[in-house]
């Protein structure tokens, strides 16, 4: 089997991407944020208090003839940005881009934090991290990818995110039309359950490449790139008027400033993030102060290659044993 579904930006700065999925019988369609940085599949549902729902699509298990409550199971998750949700669990038919799993654990929200309520374009998350991170208790559940893996032509999914355009999540195959040149594969460390790999270094603009190991995670659910402070300060030193603003929580600069590109290494391959991706967004609509798409990871305790970096490449998440991650130009 294979599957292929669109990854659509939810706003004009690519803060996140959503992908249509169908759940149950008859099928209910929701738009989910596919997140390689977590491993819970949860949805706004008929169990979510109306006061916490603001236009999101909901999954109603009682309207699905194939839904079954997973008795006594609950879940609760908190993400890196502090947003959180919790609830109970059903199993039901689940399809992504033509690829179906019969008894997928679908975690129904009974409580979501205010940031989820206010994010009206996201109806839930589909975790693509390793199933060891799943929060369902007393028995943890498998991700959609882990459930589908055995039936896939190849145990992979690929990520092709685009700037202000629809990209794709493909399952079970590698589409040669989506990348150029070779795919460079590197090992993945599955502890504690993210797609953790080691980059071979970086360069700022046309500057020399600094060979150094940068261990971090490939995270489709994170908007920006978060790297060690030394690298980030070296970058913004090249940007006139840039400051690290406590007020705005990161590096800001005059939107009129010229930004260098940022290049990162994967093995011998080099990937360049265009300046336009790093001039992420005005700090407020119409402001002439812009927030950077490259920020320091010092507050996070983990380096994150989020959407700003993923948009610059075609990435293969290889779920074979042992897992690897592959990066190609496009
Ligand atoms: C630096 S870690 C923070 C990361 N969140 C983010 O990157 C959020 C995502 C978001 C999308 C839509 C609306 C609102 C927020 N964006 C964010 O914090 N931004 C602030 C800086 O400007 C860019 C937007 C995060 O928590 N990612 C989650 C998934 C994410 C999906 C959207 C809803 C909130 C949760 C997950 O990938 C995760 O926790 O990763 C861990 C390993 C850090």
């Amino acid at each position: 089997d294979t599957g292929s579904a669109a990854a659509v930006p939810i706003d004009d700065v690519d803060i996140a991407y959503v992908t249509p999925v169908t759940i149950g019988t008859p099928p209910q369609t929701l738009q989910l944020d596919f997140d390689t940085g977590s491993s819970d599949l949860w949805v706004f549902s008929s169990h979510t208090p109306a006061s916490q729902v603001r236009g999101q699509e909901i999954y109603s298990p009682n309207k699905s003839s194939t839904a079954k409550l997973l008795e006594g199971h609950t879940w609760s998750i908190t993400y890196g940005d502090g947003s959180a949700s919790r609830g109970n669990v059903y199993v039901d038919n689940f399809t992504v881009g033509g690829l179906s799993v019969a008894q997928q654990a679908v975690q129904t929200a009974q409580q979501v934090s205010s940031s989820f309520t206010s994010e009206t374009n996201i109806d839930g998350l589909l975790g693509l991290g390793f199933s060891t991170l799943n929060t369902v208790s007393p028995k943890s559940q498998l991700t959609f990818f882990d459930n589908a893996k055995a039936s896939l032509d190849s145990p992979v999914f690929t990520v092709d995110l685009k700037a202000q355009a629809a990209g794709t999540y493909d399952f079970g195959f590698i589409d040669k039309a989506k990348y150029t040149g070779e795919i460079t594969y590197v090992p993945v460390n599955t502890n504690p359950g993210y797609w953790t790999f080691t980059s071979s270094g970086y360069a700022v603009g046309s500057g020399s490449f600094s060979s150094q190991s940068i261990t971090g995670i490939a995270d489709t659910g994170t908007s920006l790139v978060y790297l060690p402070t030394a690298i980030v300060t070296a970058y913004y030193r090249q940007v006139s008027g840039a400051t690290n603003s406590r007020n705005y929580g990161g590096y800001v600069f005059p939107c009129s400033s010229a930004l260098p590109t940022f290049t990162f290494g994967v093995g011998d391959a080099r990937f360049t993030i265009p300046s336009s991706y790093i001039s992420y967004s005005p700090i407020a609509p119409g402001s002439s102060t812009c927030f950077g798409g490259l920020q320091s990871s010092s507050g996070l305790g983990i380096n994150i290659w989020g959407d700003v970096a993923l948009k610059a490449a075609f990435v293969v998440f290889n779920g074979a044993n042992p897992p690897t991650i592959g990066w190609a130009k496009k």
Side-chain angles (χ1 to χ4, degrees):
D1 282 1
T2 64
S4 183
V8 181
I10 65 168
D11 67 2
D12 58 358
V13 296
D14 304 337
I15 195 172
Y17 295 80
V18 288
T19 297
V21 304
T22 63
I23 315 173
T25 314
Q28 300 177 41
T29 299
L30 278 73
Q31 308 294 327
L32 302 188
D33 186 346
F34 284 23
D35 177 25
T36 55
S38 66
S39 306
D40 283 36
L41 194 172
W42 73 266
V43 292
F44 275 78
S45 75
S46 49
H47 295 291
T48 313
S51 62
Q52 297 179 16
V53 183
R54 194 172 301 153
Q56 290 84 356
E57 294 298 319
I58 65 167
Y59 164 58
S60 300
N62 58 0
K63 291 182 183 159
S64 168
S65 59
T66 42
K68 282 198 294 286
L69 177 68
L70 208 53
E71 287 283 344
H73 284 68
T74 59
W75 60 280
S76 175
I77 192 164
T78 301
Y79 295 99
D81 60 17
S83 54
S85 52
R86 62 180 168 81
N88 46 19
V89 188
Y90 288 78
V91 289
D92 206 343
N93 297 347
F94 195 92
T95 301
V96 176
L99 173 66
S100 292
V101 165
Q103 300 291 301
Q104 173 65 44
V106 179
Q107 300 167 220
T108 44
Q110 293 177 299
Q111 173 80 34
V112 300
S113 63
S114 57
S115 59
F116 282 119
T117 298
S118 55
E119 194 43 68
T120 56
N121 300 315
I122 294 178
D123 305 331
L125 266 67
L126 186 143
L128 290 169
F130 292 89
S131 292
T132 44
L133 286 179
N134 181 264
T135 73
V136 174
S137 166
K139 278 177 43 236
S140 83
Q141 301 299 305
L142 295 181
T143 64
F144 171 76
F145 177 54
D146 275 352
N147 279 324
K149 201 183 282 187
S151 66
L152 292 177
D153 294 4
S154 173
V156 302
F157 66 90
T158 69
V159 176
D160 178 17
L161 299 182
K162 295 179 189 272
Q164 287 300 280
T168 47
Y169 283 97
D170 291 339
F171 292 87
F173 71 107
I174 296 174
D175 184 347
K176 283 193 171 311
K178 293 194 169 117
Y179 66 94
T180 58
E182 297 301 312
I183 301 173
T184 301
Y185 289 93
V186 292
V188 160
N189 172 358
T190 60
N191 288 320
Y194 306 123
W195 289 87
T196 305
F197 73 100
T198 297
S199 161
S200 49
Y202 77 98
V204 175
S206 54
S208 61
F209 185 81
S210 168
S211 291
Q212 58 183 258
S213 294
I214 309 166
T215 296
I217 69 169
D219 186 1
T220 56
T222 287
S223 316
L224 308 183
V225 174
Y226 296 87
L227 294 176
T229 301
I231 295 177
V232 177
T233 44
Y235 178 84
Y236 286 107
R237 221 195 326 273
Q238 306 299 326
V239 178
S240 60
T243 60
N244 190 0
S245 158
R246 218 170 313 291
N247 185 18
Y248 295 118
Y251 280 88
V252 298
F253 46 83
C255 296
S256 55
S257 293
L259 287 181
T261 59
F262 184 83
T263 296
F264 61 97
V266 178
D268 295 336
R270 301 287 179 261
F271 298 89
T272 296
I273 302 174
S275 309
S276 58
Y277 295 6
I278 302 175
S279 180
Y280 181 69
S281 77
I283 45 123
S287 168
S288 64
T289 301
C290 275
F291 194 77
L294 172 62
Q295 295 293 342
S296 168
S297 62
S298 56
L300 296 173
I302 187 170
N303 296 315
I304 303 179
W305 304 94
D307 299 338
V308 159
L310 295 168
K311 285 190 282 196
F314 174 80
V315 188
V316 180
F317 291 75
N318 170 27
N321 195 359
T324 61
I325 186 167
W327 292 74
K329 291 181 173 55
K330 62 188 183 189

